[in-house]
Amino acid sequence: MRKLLPLALLGLSAFAQVDVPFWHAMDGPAGRLIAAFAQEFNARQDRYRVLPRYQGTYEEAETKLVAALRAGSGPVLFQAELSFFPRLVAEGQALPLEAYLDLDPGFVADLFAPAWNYGVVGGRRFGLPFNTSTPVLFYNLDVFRAKGLEAPRDWRAFERTALALTSRAAKGFIFVTDPQAWLFEAMVTSRGGSLVQDDRPNFTSREAVAALEMLYRLKEAGALSVRSMAEATFAQLDFVRTKGMMVMASIANWPAAENFSFAFALGVAPVPREEGGKVPMGGAQLVVLKGASEAQARGAVAFWKYLMEPENVARWVEASYYVPLRKSALPLLEGFYRENPFRKVAFEQVAHAQERPRLSQFSAWARVLAEALERSLKGGVPPRKALEEAQRKAEAMR
């Protein structure tokens, strides 16, 4: 009888390789780097095989995931935008991850705390930080210099600056009404307010009303261009073609903007902020979905640990411009930030960053708010009335 050789001697794994399908919403350089990360991770071990798949924008990926979950299918690992993440947890679609982590305290201490903390809901960890951003103010540096202007640090200065930049050919500010009202939220939290209070919508707060009234005044003065998220490309073109002089967006929009040919020097500044004000984090958490096997969950966590290696964090920041999630990656980014100091604005703003509301209803409330912003700024509904209507609609959804 022939003696069978051990699998290891035949170059075979004693374990069947475990597939870990990973759905994400990153395209361009960031998407290509995700594919490279998966390829590298798969090559350096033979237990798990991560299979990344681009699913479109956050909103498109969420729609596809909801349909897949209803059909009893879907990925193992999902990149959940921060306002969608609590919904997955509340609906029981996200697996708790404590059993798979086994992290050294030094590793945890090295992580950017707000992003790490956001993954905990109800005392249990359901999310792992991956791409974290803050909103910033992009501006036409050449025009600012020509007019002797500086990037505004508070909202009164911002309004004055927007008016000073406005001409027959250009608006002072381009405002994008994104579906999750993240940019408007930044205008509220930077004033010291919040869109949620006591687990209820807080759309009629003093800070929210002040933010929308400011935008409304700029619109009435001809200093504001309003675009919906569906018109985001037009907003970029308006800015690049000098039809608008300032625009708020995620720092992660910078690589995409570089696809356009700028005829001016690009300036980047923190969001204008009042004393004690904060800016809301953006980005996503990685979630392991219900139905994943224990081996798949362990594979997903192992891949996340690979993403969090300092060298990979630095590579990710250079490709995507997201905020570095580990302090130990900062020395590796010195050259990147030195090459263009504006790249460091979002990271420096982290000192004033805060988590978005972790409520399953918040995503739906934010959509109602985004619609109200459009009705006011495009349809002429007075700010307070628009916000009161949004408050009533959101309250009715509870």
Side-chain angles (χ1 to χ4, degrees):
M1 185 174 179
R2 291 180 61 191
K3 184 176 180 181
L4 296 178
L5 293 172
L7 290 174
L9 295 181
L10 295 173
L12 301 173
S13 171
F15 303 97
Q17 195 171 44
V18 176
D19 284 350
V20 181
F22 171 29
W23 286 10
H24 66 86
M26 299 285 100
D27 60 358
R32 291 191 290 274
L33 186 55
I34 285 177
F37 281 146
Q39 198 170 37
E40 293 162 9
F41 174 77
N42 295 343
R44 83 174 196 174
Q45 50 77 47
D46 60 3
R47 185 72 196 273
Y48 311 110
R49 183 173 63 160
V50 173
L51 305 171
R53 186 176 174 186
Y54 173 63
Q55 296 294 335
T57 65
Y58 283 135
E59 195 169 9
E60 290 166 344
E62 291 163 13
T63 300
K64 290 177 183 178
L65 180 69
V66 170
L69 293 175
R70 284 175 181 163
S73 60
V76 167
L77 189 61
F78 183 76
Q79 183 190 20
E81 190 271 329
L82 291 188
S83 61
F84 183 65
F85 165 68
R87 175 181 164 186
L88 287 177
V89 175
E91 294 178 357
Q93 299 293 352
L95 285 183
L97 299 174
E98 291 90 348
Y100 309 108
L101 286 172
D102 189 27
L103 299 177
D104 181 88
F107 174 90
V108 175
D110 193 44
L111 290 168
F112 165 39
W116 175 244
N117 295 339
Y118 192 86
V120 176
V121 179
R124 304 199 70 184
R125 174 160 300 281
F126 293 93
L128 300 169
F130 173 43
N131 57 304
T132 296
S133 63
T134 63
V136 295
L137 184 70
F138 293 101
Y139 62 95
N140 186 318
L141 182 58
D142 289 350
V143 172
F144 268 65
R145 286 173 173 167
K147 289 181 174 287
L149 298 171
E150 294 184 354
R153 293 294 178 175
D154 59 45
W155 288 110
R156 286 186 180 180
F158 172 85
E159 188 169 357
R160 290 194 304 269
T161 302
L163 291 169
L165 290 167
T166 299
S167 66
R168 289 183 180 180
K171 306 290 188 184
F173 181 53
I174 304 166
F175 179 64
V176 180
T177 58
D178 60 291
Q180 289 303 316
W182 183 55
L183 299 176
F184 183 74
E185 182 182 2
M187 293 183 169
V188 174
T189 58
S190 60
R191 286 173 162 85
S194 175
L195 293 180
V196 172
Q197 187 173 40
D198 300 326
D199 292 346
R200 296 178 54 197
N202 191 35
F203 299 163
T204 56
S205 69
R206 176 178 59 83
E207 295 85 1
V209 172
L212 187 51
E213 285 181 342
M214 179 198 71
L215 291 171
Y216 196 87
R217 285 194 301 272
L218 291 175
K219 177 69 174 178
E220 292 291 283
L224 182 71
S225 172
V226 184
R227 295 289 193 180
S228 67
M229 185 55 77
E231 300 169 317
T233 299
F234 295 110
Q236 288 181 326
L237 288 172
D238 287 346
F239 182 62
V240 170
R241 294 172 179 173
T242 67
K243 292 182 179 180
M245 295 298 155
M246 298 186 291
V247 63
M248 261 178 64
S250 166
I251 189 65
N253 287 117
W254 192 340
E258 289 180 338
N259 291 329
F260 298 96
S261 179
F262 283 86
F264 57 88
L266 179 66
V268 186
V271 170
R273 194 173 56 85
E274 307 302 329
E275 186 68 31
K278 300 287 186 179
V279 291
M281 289 191 312
Q285 293 268 316
L286 298 187
V287 176
V288 179
L289 295 168
K290 182 180 73 174
S293 68
E294 180 178 343
Q296 286 176 319
R298 293 192 181 281
V301 170
F303 178 58
W304 172 76
K305 289 179 179 178
Y306 178 69
L307 296 176
M308 290 298 105
E309 291 181 5
E311 296 80 5
N312 291 337
V313 171
R315 290 167 63 195
W316 175 247
V317 172
E318 290 176 358
S320 67
Y321 286 47
Y322 280 106
V323 172
L325 289 181
R326 293 191 66 179
K327 299 165 192 170
S328 54
L330 292 176
L332 305 176
L333 289 163
E334 286 179 359
F336 177 70
Y337 288 140
R338 191 184 310 114
E339 185 180 4
N340 185 339
F342 284 134
R343 291 171 176 167
K344 204 171 184 179
V345 167
F347 172 69
E348 291 172 339
Q349 200 172 226
V350 161
H352 307 292
Q354 69 179 31
E355 303 150 25
R356 297 198 81 188
R358 273 171 289 186
L359 296 173
S360 60
Q361 313 98 310
F362 181 67
S363 181
W365 294 347
R367 290 178 189 279
V368 168
L369 176 58
E371 292 167 2
L373 299 179
E374 286 209 36
R375 284 198 301 275
S376 180
L377 299 175
K378 286 190 171 186
V381 177
R384 185 175 290 278
K385 181 179 179 182
L387 292 172
E388 287 173 348
E389 289 174 355
Q391 178 75 19
R392 286 194 295 270
K393 286 182 181 179
E395 287 275 10
M397 300 169 77
R398 298 182 75 234

